[in-house]
Amino acid sequence: MISCLKKYAALLCLTVFVFSLFGCSMQTESLLSSPNEQIRVKFSLTEAGTPQYEVFYKENAVILSSSMGFEFKDQPPLNEGLRITEMNNRQEDETWAMPWGEQDSVRNHFNELKIQLEETGAPNRKLNIVFRAFDDGIGFRYEFPEQPNLNEVLITDENTQFNLTGDHQVWWQPGDWDIYEHLYNATKFSEIDAISKRDDPNLKATYIPENAVNTPVTMKTSEGVYLSFHEADLTDYSGMTLKVDTSNNSMVSELVGSERLQGKAMISAPFNTPWRTIQIADRAGDLIESRMVLNLNDPNILGDVSYFTPMKYVGIWWEMHLGKSTWDMEGSQSMNTFTNSGEIKPNHGATTENAMRYIDFASENGIKGLLVEGWNTGWDKWINTDDREGVFDFMTPYADYDFDKVMAYAREKGVEVIMHHETSAAPLTYEKQMDVAYKFMKDNGMNAVKTGYVGKIIPKGEYHHGQWMVRHYQKVLEEAGKMKIAINAHEPIKATGKRRTYPNAIAREGLRGQEFNAWAADGGNPPNHLPTIAFTRMLSGPIDFTPGIFNIKFDEYKPDNQVSTTLAHQLALYVVIYSPVQMLADLPEHYMENGKPHPALQFIRDVGVDWSESHVLDGEVGEYVTIARKERGTGNWFVGGITGDEERMETIVFNFLEEGKTYEAILYEDGPDAHWDTNPQAYEIKTMDVSNTDTVEVMLAPGGGFALSLKEK
Ligand code: NOJ
Ligand code: CA
């Protein structure tokens, strides 16, 4: 009752506030507060009638006056001469259930202000701007209402400014129109230099036209406030990069373009852009706990998605990246030569026998899924050519892969096979075959597919992150949704919270994954990679990182490459990196020691993949992070902690456990001399009892980590 009254009072306050400002006839500004009143947005029009906004956190500005506007083909820009015709506000406070996720349910609580604008002179075009203030940040979007003088139009520029209050510390990657598989850089804002990241030899398709960054981009102010910029609900528009002006601490939206379109995005009114989002937090870990980006998406429209079960999976995958086997039967100069140097001999990985070996390993260890790459014909033809249409048909197995036999064996052993569709970045071929390919999957009891888009997009002039491809990725979600199929996309469009609306969007890549450790010319991902990813890429959504490499140096395959973490760090990733599908990426034989399962494999067997609660216990961007998650159904807790190249002592405070209960804890930690480079596989396992008043100290080696399972006694 009290909380109800409080809510009513807050609503009343807000209404009176907006009303009183709007009381005078020439209204030019308005204020919006978050429910807890810590975050405020001020919208105003300049004398010239240009819309602008400012953002405050606890009374201090975090975004200085920043203007908003659009440029079009064959139309004057829409960025001045505007007046406010109407303002409305409302409040929302709802709780929605996650079909799978980091927690059971999410509270969506915000205050909204909608400003309707119209040009004072001809052509009298209209534009609405909607702001939502949450306790953990703000979002705003543009709405083009239906109107006579703005119907179908090509946007040649969206100019949303983000003027910062200082030369912040920034964790950024270049604004690449084709790929998110860059390392994050930690520099001052004034030192951002995306151009120097061009021509990365590890990337098949990359295009960085200017000094811009991709989102999410995370920052820390000198006052210790964390900010992260991204977007929500990217459905029928171009992905947004942020062009940086290093001399003015300023950013402006730079949409991914299309050379075919000679512009950025074709829209037709009524049309809503994606939300531009700014997460704001005092604690780095709060960025990870925020669900604001999800809340800015529409509710689930697919209904029941129980055809997809969150799962761990093994795969005929790492062996190709290591060069143990090939994707194709021919041993051609295709994908194999990208991931391996030297002579490639025919040595097909996806054979019937090998698939059965992985199925045995999965079923013996309680692992539900199996991914098989290279099962279908076409792999010899596609990589070094522009003529990639029609290479794959997603139906025809190689001669040495008895599809029916593998499927029958998997069924018998209780293993679900995950389909693989490498499109070779030829989406038109994929769209043509999609319904047949999905039907083929369903007829064979397959409910999830890993898709891939390696290479430059065909048709030429389109980019992975432009509107044309955004529409493609959207179409895949919709068509797969109709067929009850879940999508794990590699070389995807960034996650923008669409999994709320389409919970068949289970995971995606969109980062430098584990695969880079097998073949990258620069030596792979450095130890601070994942402590950075947790506070950047992971803010957008689930990651198919493919953790769990036990044979860290794999000298027998690639003497010049390695994983730059300890084994315990690999275990911790099952908790730290959120995804409803988690791979056991290493080869089955690498999970064995002296003919027996490796003792640390027990953690991966035990760890959950679907959670009722998640808490970030500690962390600092790019340095370390510790996350605790409670498994749905069992109530077991798992804790994972990782560090970058600095060793550290972490104190785990168990106050998240239920009071009065005793838990059996198994701790997998770095061995005393462990080090990501000199001694990565040294680990120890300790068993103890803990309750919610206990604390435990764990030492993390350089590049190290720990994993902990907690089961009620
Ligand atoms: C790139 C993906 O990220 C990787 O996982 C896959 O093995 C190859 N493409 C081949 O599809
Ligand atoms: Ca990739």
Side-chain angles (χ1 to χ4, degrees):
M1 180 66 183
I2 288 177
S3 79
C4 191
L5 274 177
K6 259 199 209 150
K7 233 181 266 169
Y8 178 69
L11 188 62
L12 195 69
C13 253
L14 186 83
T15 312
V16 169
F17 192 42
V18 174
F19 178 76
S20 64
L21 280 173
F22 198 55
C24 52
S25 56
M26 282 305 287
Q27 175 63 45
T28 59
E29 65 176 49
S30 187
L31 265 168
L32 173 73
S33 298
S34 61
N36 69 2
E37 300 190 357
Q38 302 275 8
I39 295 174
R40 285 181 307 130
V41 184
K42 184 178 163 194
F43 173 82
S44 59
L45 283 177
T46 65
E47 261 177 40
T50 298
Q52 56 178 21
Y53 73 100
E54 286 163 84
V55 184
F56 302 87
Y57 180 51
K58 297 184 176 169
E59 305 307 325
N60 299 315
V62 286
I63 298 291
L64 304 175
S65 273
S66 299
S67 62
M68 310 158 116
F70 288 89
E71 291 168 40
F72 309 103
K73 182 166 183 243
D74 302 331
Q75 284 226 12
L78 187 58
N79 55 12
E80 59 177 9
L82 290 157
R83 70 182 179 96
I84 297 174
T85 56
E86 202 177 320
M87 280 198 280
N88 306 93
N89 68 288
R90 68 181 190 97
Q91 190 189 47
E92 178 90 50
D93 191 358
E94 56 158 356
T95 298
W96 55 276
M98 291 184 123
W100 45 264
E102 301 95 317
Q103 58 207 61
D104 283 326
S105 62
V106 175
R107 185 176 181 194
N108 180 20
H109 189 196
F110 61 82
N111 292 330
E112 180 183 285
L113 169 66
K114 177 169 175 169
I115 302 130
Q116 302 190 32
L117 302 165
E118 190 178 316
E119 283 177 304
T120 49
N124 301 99
R125 291 167 301 176
K126 296 186 179 121
L127 176 70
N128 303 335
I129 306 178
V130 182
F131 287 95
R132 286 186 186 168
F134 300 77
D135 290 345
D136 46 354
I138 68 143
F140 58 92
R141 77 173 175 201
Y142 305 98
E143 297 180 353
F144 294 87
E146 208 168 342
Q147 52 190 299
N149 294 326
L150 199 158
N151 303 311
E152 212 177 49
V153 68
L154 177 63
I155 295 180
T156 52
D157 248 320
E158 176 196 317
N159 297 313
T160 304
Q161 283 186 334
F162 300 86
N163 289 327
L164 308 171
T165 56
D167 189 11
H168 303 330
Q169 177 67 27
V170 186
W171 291 269
W172 60 273
Q173 64 159 282
D176 195 320
W177 289 13
D178 260 325
I179 199 89
Y180 305 112
E181 298 181 19
H182 289 273
L183 286 173
Y184 277 86
N185 304 276
T187 70
K188 286 281 181 199
F189 186 84
S190 58
E191 293 161 355
I192 293 174
D193 179 10
I195 304 298
S196 67
K197 307 297 168 190
R198 281 178 180 166
D199 307 322
D200 185 330
N202 302 304
L203 302 173
K204 276 253 140 225
T206 168
Y207 182 52
I208 306 168
E210 48 204 335
N211 196 16
V213 297
N214 268 336
T215 72
V217 57
T218 298
M219 305 186 185
K220 187 179 185 183
T221 72
S222 53
E223 292 78 34
V225 176
Y226 296 87
L227 304 170
S228 190
F229 299 81
H230 189 47
E231 59 182 309
D233 194 4
L234 172 56
T235 305
D236 183 13
Y237 201 64
S238 278
M240 177 181 71
T241 73
L242 294 169
K243 188 157 78 177
V244 300
D245 178 349
T246 49
S247 48
N248 286 311
N249 298 329
S250 164
M251 308 191 286
V252 64
S253 57
E254 183 64 75
L255 303 179
V256 171
S258 156
E259 276 147 33
R260 296 204 311 155
L261 216 57
Q262 291 291 304
K264 299 302 177 71
M266 195 70 177
I267 64 161
S268 111
F271 181 85
N272 300 340
T273 69
W275 297 88
R276 278 67 191 89
T277 61
I278 310 174
Q279 284 182 240
I280 307 170
D282 281 329
R283 212 178 62 107
D286 288 348
L287 294 177
I288 299 174
E289 288 183 10
S290 167
R291 304 287 168 249
M292 184 181 77
V293 168
L294 275 170
N295 279 330
L296 286 167
N297 280 265
D298 290 338
N300 178 356
I301 58 164
L302 295 185
D304 177 29
V305 289
S306 57
Y307 51 88
F308 164 67
T309 325
M311 63 172 124
K312 289 169 270 186
Y313 71 103
V314 293
I316 301 185
W317 178 78
W318 187 238
E319 56 178 82
M320 279 86 92
H321 288 270
L322 286 185
K324 180 187 173 192
S325 64
T326 56
W327 274 275
D328 60 341
M329 273 182 76
E330 298 84 355
S332 71
Q333 307 296 300
S334 67
M335 187 72 195
N336 306 310
T337 40
F338 184 59
T339 55
N340 293 283
S341 51
E343 195 197 348
I344 310 292
K345 293 201 187 109
N347 183 20
H348 192 206
T351 63
T352 311
E353 293 64 41
N354 203 23
M356 288 168 79
R357 182 172 80 99
Y358 276 80
I359 290 168
D360 287 339
F361 175 79
S363 81
E364 279 156 22
N365 290 288
I367 305 303
K368 185 162 188 274
L370 165 71
L371 167 77
V372 182
E373 292 201 2
W375 69 276
N376 59 332
T377 57
W379 287 87
D380 57 318
K381 295 199 187 67
W382 67 277
I383 197 90
N384 291 320
T385 161
D386 281 344
D387 182 20
R388 281 171 274 128
E389 299 284 12
V391 159
F392 290 111
D393 69 6
F394 315 106
M395 299 267 293
T396 312
Y398 273 116
D400 59 354
Y401 185 73
D402 186 335
F403 183 87
D404 293 337
K405 189 170 172 188
V406 172
M407 294 308 292
Y409 192 64
R411 237 184 329 270
E412 183 193 321
K413 296 279 181 165
V415 171
E416 186 174 326
V417 182
I418 300 169
M419 180 46 102
H420 185 231
H421 291 165
E422 173 55 67
T423 69
S424 67
L428 289 173
T429 292
Y430 193 46
E431 287 187 16
K432 259 186 235 146
Q433 318 220 4
M434 224 157 66
D435 37 343
V436 179
Y438 292 160
K439 185 166 184 306
F440 177 72
M441 281 177 61
K442 278 317 243 200
D443 288 348
N444 286 287
M446 299 166 118
N447 303 307
V449 55
K450 170 179 171 180
T451 57
Y453 296 85
V454 175
K456 287 200 198 325
I457 296 293
I458 310 176
K460 236 185 173 139
E462 298 294 359
Y463 298 93
H464 282 76
H465 308 155
Q467 184 186 32
W468 193 80
M469 278 304 288
V470 167
R471 285 178 171 162
H472 169 77
Y473 294 114
Q474 176 67 20
K475 185 175 172 142
V476 169
L477 283 185
E478 287 172 11
E479 296 303 311
K482 284 183 207 153
M483 297 291 288
K484 299 196 187 309
I485 283 172
I487 303 291
N488 171 13
H490 279 227
E491 300 78 41
I493 188 64
K494 61 181 141 183
T496 58
K498 295 203 70 68
R499 67 177 156 132
R500 181 178 179 196
T501 318
Y502 295 89
N504 65 329
I506 48 172
R508 75 192 71 207
E509 190 188 37
L511 85 165
R512 256 176 88 119
Q514 187 86 274
E515 64 190 33
F516 278 74
N517 293 325
W519 42 256
D522 58 13
N525 303 328
N528 69 355
H529 185 54
L530 289 152
T532 309
I533 288 298
F535 298 96
T536 51
R537 159 67 180 87
M538 198 167 88
L539 305 183
S540 66
I543 305 178
D544 189 31
F545 180 75
T546 64
I549 300 302
F550 276 23
N551 183 349
I552 302 276
K553 296 257 184 183
F554 47 82
D555 285 340
E556 58 275 46
Y557 296 111
K558 296 279 190 80
D560 298 332
N561 296 87
Q562 70 172 88
V563 172
S564 296
T565 76
T566 66
L567 189 147
H569 182 122
Q570 289 291 313
L571 294 180
L573 296 179
Y574 289 89
V575 188
V576 168
I577 299 299
Y578 171 65
S579 174
V581 284
Q582 289 280 31
M583 193 180 208
L584 283 71
D586 215 337
L587 313 181
E589 59 268 34
H590 292 169
Y591 291 118
M592 302 297 284
E593 202 178 55
N594 308 322
K596 286 206 241 95
H598 189 294
L601 178 62
Q602 190 58 42
F603 180 78
I604 310 181
R605 294 166 64 139
D606 292 341
V607 69
V609 271
D610 197 21
W611 313 103
S612 56
E613 284 178 51
S614 291
H615 305 284
V616 182
L617 304 184
D618 200 4
E620 199 50 69
V621 189
E623 294 178 24
Y624 64 94
V625 60
T626 303
I627 301 184
R629 302 192 195 269
K630 185 181 186 185
E631 188 181 21
R632 286 193 194 185
T634 65
N636 295 339
W637 283 88
F638 297 87
V639 186
I642 54 172
T643 182
D645 24 31
E646 300 282 322
E647 68 174 359
R648 47 174 291 117
M649 179 73 93
E650 179 72 25
T651 306
I652 312 168
V653 181
F654 287 105
N655 57 6
F656 54 87
L657 295 176
E658 213 176 305
E659 214 180 303
K661 289 190 171 162
T662 307
Y663 292 77
E664 184 193 61
I666 310 176
L667 174 65
Y668 302 76
E669 61 179 342
D670 292 320
D673 305 319
H675 183 283
W676 65 268
D677 195 26
T678 53
N679 193 12
Q681 285 173 209
Y683 70 94
E684 282 186 355
I685 301 177
K686 289 182 188 150
T687 304
M688 62 197 112
D689 285 354
V690 297
S691 72
N692 85 325
T693 52
D694 288 328
T695 58
V696 167
E697 290 199 328
V698 191
M699 195 67 199
L700 286 76
F706 72 88
L708 183 66
S709 63
L710 295 145
K711 200 174 181 173
E712 196 189 322
K713 284 192 99 167

